Amino acid sequence: MSPSEDPKARAARPKNAVVILLDSLNRHMLGAYGGQEFSTPNLDRLAQRSVRFTRHFTGSLPCMPARHDILCGALDFLWKPWGSIELWEDAITCQLRAAGVTTQLISDHPHLFEAGGENYHIDFEAWDYLRGHESDPWKTQPDPSWVGSPKFVPRPMAYDNSRGWFRGEADFPGPRTMQAAATWLDDNAGKHDRFFLFVDEFDPHEPFDTPETYARMYDPDWEGPHPIWPPYVDGGIRKGILDERQARQVRALYGGKLTMIDHWLGKVLDRLDSHDLWDDTLVVLCTDHGHYLGEKDIWGKPAVPIYEPLGHIPLLIAAPGVAPATCEALTTSVDLNATLADLFGVAEAVRQRTHGVSLLPVLAGEAAGVRDWLLTGVWGREVHLIDGKRKYARAPANANAPLDMYSNRWSTMPTHMLTRGQELPYPDQRARLDHMPGSGIPVIHQQWDASDPLPFWAGRRFSGNHLYDLEDDSAETRNLAGSPLEAEYRDALRAALDSIEAPQGQFERLGLD
């Protein structure tokens, strides 16, 4: 079924937008997408009035690269691993402010306020940071009454200092963020000509820590402290990192956190109801990626191809006058940026080369789809081409080189255990000035080879190319790489990379030159 528009409401083009991003949200665990394992009544409630996109996929991964896709509209992972907004580009909030749109960020996401993500908030008219989630250095000492939880990572965490200061459910960062969003709607509904509210909620991302009601909800027989930090590993049970019993508990803890944040999402939906904002507001529920919880014995987000649990993600869009529907259009994260730019009429003001396509024609019933293919991946790993029917993951042809980095800010994901030089090698004598596609601003272009200490996922092993038929083999158990069909997808990937002017090093690294 395609989205359809009520003719009586055809003139009711939304004047506002609310985008709610729930981090690490697993599509296959939501009731609206057929999940039965965990309770998500408010996500399902939103879905009942939304267009539910069934072929929505990641673009750049993980956390900050995905937000770059959404806020800047340009794929990031082919040019750099993770980082700030660069000199040649703007977040959409820059154009929105210039157009007189009130913009507000409400978030508990620590990466937005540390090196590698520190300038995504600056063009919002206002922002509210709710403290204490995951790596946020909120407190310098723990509450002495807190005895801690076991970790799969044997090192101190900032969360150890923060956790004891949450006295009840309402004190956790996720609930505080959703309550702040609900309060903002109470205070601002009807007060602005147009507004954009971006709620960047880090739940259900780990730590999978909740009050005991939720922690025991899906595994009431568990005894002992809860393992709130999941491992990041391919083969967690096979390698003895965790046993079957621990595996069930980790999965149940994710479910508890999912149900908790779903409960607090309901408070935001209540405000949309009470202020009649559905009549003039586009409401988007999205995520950056999923989170492996034992599918194929993969846990977290380790260095493996992007299988369906991580890369096939939910997207719900409610728009005035648009009837609830299921939409099979192929979409990806950069399309959300293009949709917002179209909605607010600022597309012509965007400086950088973007890669998204507006979904407004799909929502209006004027188009069945907006794209035939998309690209997704993690910098330095496989590059994936998805056409809706099949997924092709191309690994390096030989050594994982050359690896290109384009940046003038040279920041990346803080690990809080490595030096900055270890997290991302500094530019050296091989660096030169270059340009990003569509930009005349000089940029530092560093190219690394196989002898360099490669950062993060790039230094891990690969398992060759992968090609899956997503319609006939959604579990991705039959790898068609090596069959005659692969040549067709190799050529399609080369053409896709060429069309966006990807770095030449990507063609060489992947054996596509």
Side-chain angles (χ1 to χ4, degrees):
M1 180 179 177
S2 298
S4 59
E5 189 173 23
D6 180 353
K8 296 180 181 179
R10 187 172 296 275
R13 183 182 179 91
K15 68 172 188 174
N16 310 310
V18 174
V19 176
I20 302 170
L21 189 159
L22 300 183
D23 199 292
S24 305
L25 186 64
N26 280 333
R27 172 188 183 273
H28 60 292
M29 293 179 171
L30 307 183
Y33 285 92
Q36 299 180 348
E37 190 174 359
F38 305 125
S39 176
T40 56
N42 286 296
L43 284 161
D44 301 344
R45 166 187 167 192
L46 176 58
Q48 289 173 358
R49 67 184 310 146
S50 299
V51 175
R52 182 176 61 93
F53 287 79
T54 61
R55 297 201 298 173
H56 184 62
F57 292 86
T58 54
S60 305
L61 289 92
C63 300
M64 289 314 303
R67 284 158 178 79
H68 184 275
D69 282 9
I70 295 169
L71 290 173
C72 296
L75 290 169
D76 218 18
F77 77 97
L78 295 168
W79 285 271
K80 65 180 184 181
W82 175 299
S84 315
I85 296 175
E86 299 278 357
L87 293 175
W88 60 81
E89 61 190 2
D90 303 301
I92 192 172
T93 44
C94 179
Q95 286 79 39
L96 294 183
R97 289 192 71 178
V101 178
T102 298
T103 57
Q104 172 76 46
L105 169 67
I106 299 176
S107 181
D108 60 0
H109 185 182
H111 296 317
L112 282 171
F113 300 94
E114 61 185 5
E118 74 283 352
N119 63 352
Y120 285 82
H121 67 285
I122 61 174
D123 284 314
F124 282 89
E125 184 172 335
W127 50 271
D128 188 4
Y129 180 26
L130 290 305
R131 304 297 302 272
H133 209 307
E134 198 219 33
S135 60
D136 178 20
W138 181 41
K139 298 289 187 181
T140 55
Q141 62 177 353
D143 182 323
S145 67
W146 177 248
V147 296
S149 287
K151 307 179 183 67
F152 286 105
V153 181
R155 57 184 172 88
M157 301 287 287
Y159 194 74
D160 298 339
N161 287 337
S162 301
R163 171 58 179 89
W165 302 99
F166 309 151
R167 304 297 182 180
E169 180 180 341
D171 296 328
F172 280 73
R176 282 189 285 132
T177 301
M178 288 301 180
Q179 183 59 59
T183 300
W184 189 90
L185 291 172
D186 280 338
D187 294 343
N188 288 271
K191 303 294 177 59
H192 308 288
D193 182 45
R194 309 188 80 186
F195 71 76
F196 168 53
L197 171 63
F198 184 36
V199 183
D200 188 350
E201 169 49 48
F202 210 34
D203 284 352
H205 191 286
E206 75 267 16
F208 300 155
D209 183 27
T210 60
E212 196 67 9
T213 301
Y214 295 103
R216 301 188 66 81
M217 183 171 288
Y218 301 110
D219 191 4
D221 297 328
W222 175 263
E223 296 180 358
H226 299 290
I228 63 175
W229 297 102
Y232 275 45
V233 62
D234 178 15
I237 296 176
R238 185 178 68 252
K239 295 175 180 176
I241 304 298
L242 70 173
D243 59 31
E244 294 278 0
R245 186 66 189 89
Q246 290 173 319
R248 292 198 305 274
Q249 166 69 179
V250 169
R251 191 175 176 97
L253 292 176
Y254 172 92
K257 198 166 204 189
L258 172 61
T259 297
M260 182 178 78
I261 201 60
D262 177 272
H263 169 72
W264 288 84
L265 169 66
K267 297 185 180 299
V268 178
L269 302 184
D270 290 344
R271 298 320 195 276
L272 293 169
D273 289 341
S274 62
H275 295 291
D276 296 323
L277 287 169
W278 304 106
D279 295 339
D280 60 8
T281 302
L282 186 82
V283 179
V284 178
L285 189 288
C286 62
T287 189
D288 48 359
H289 47 67
H291 186 102
Y292 294 114
L293 289 165
E295 301 86 358
K296 296 180 181 289
D297 197 18
I298 303 171
W299 300 85
K301 300 186 291 289
V304 297
I306 298 174
Y307 295 111
E308 290 289 276
L310 190 76
H312 194 177
I313 54 177
L315 175 63
L316 305 174
I317 302 181
V322 178
T326 296
C327 180
E328 297 182 354
L330 185 66
T331 60
T332 186
S333 296
V334 288
D335 297 331
L336 299 181
N337 177 277
T339 302
L340 292 170
D342 187 7
L343 175 68
F344 288 110
V346 299
E348 297 300 317
V350 175
R351 290 193 298 142
Q352 66 267 22
R353 180 79 59 84
T354 58
H355 303 120
V357 188
S358 173
L359 302 181
L360 292 188
V362 173
L363 293 170
E366 299 168 358
V370 297
R371 59 171 62 247
D372 297 321
W373 54 265
L374 60 88
L375 295 172
T376 183
V378 174
W379 180 88
R381 297 297 305 175
E382 301 89 348
V383 176
H384 305 67
L385 174 77
I386 299 174
D387 64 7
K389 179 174 175 56
R390 298 186 182 94
K391 176 193 299 178
Y392 181 47
R394 181 86 177 184
N398 296 295
N400 192 17
L403 279 173
D404 295 278
M405 169 88 174
Y406 288 73
S407 179
N408 285 335
R409 297 187 67 91
W410 224 259
S411 58
T412 190
M413 182 182 76
T415 62
H416 306 286
M417 62 180 178
L418 300 175
T419 67
R420 290 189 179 180
Q422 291 171 325
E423 291 172 343
L424 183 68
Y426 294 112
D428 58 26
Q429 69 278 1
R430 294 168 293 181
R432 60 187 176 87
L433 288 181
D434 205 335
H435 298 85
M436 288 289 290
S439 173
I441 295 177
V443 56
I444 298 173
H445 176 191
Q446 172 76 38
Q447 194 169 80
W448 290 297
D449 59 38
S451 68
D452 290 297
L454 302 178
F456 297 136
W457 306 273
R460 306 296 183 181
R461 292 182 178 179
F462 292 85
S463 55
N465 300 335
H466 293 253
L467 177 60
Y468 298 105
D469 189 319
L470 299 180
E471 294 181 345
D472 297 333
D473 180 26
S474 60
E476 298 167 294
T477 60
R478 300 186 299 274
N479 186 2
L480 303 177
S483 71
L485 189 62
E486 183 176 5
E488 174 186 337
Y489 278 84
R490 177 199 62 210
D491 293 344
L493 176 59
R494 182 191 296 115
L497 291 171
D498 187 61
S499 71
I500 64 170
E501 299 180 49
Q504 180 59 34
Q506 292 284 4
F507 294 87
E508 298 173 24
R509 183 177 75 93
L510 300 172
L512 298 174
D513 54 341

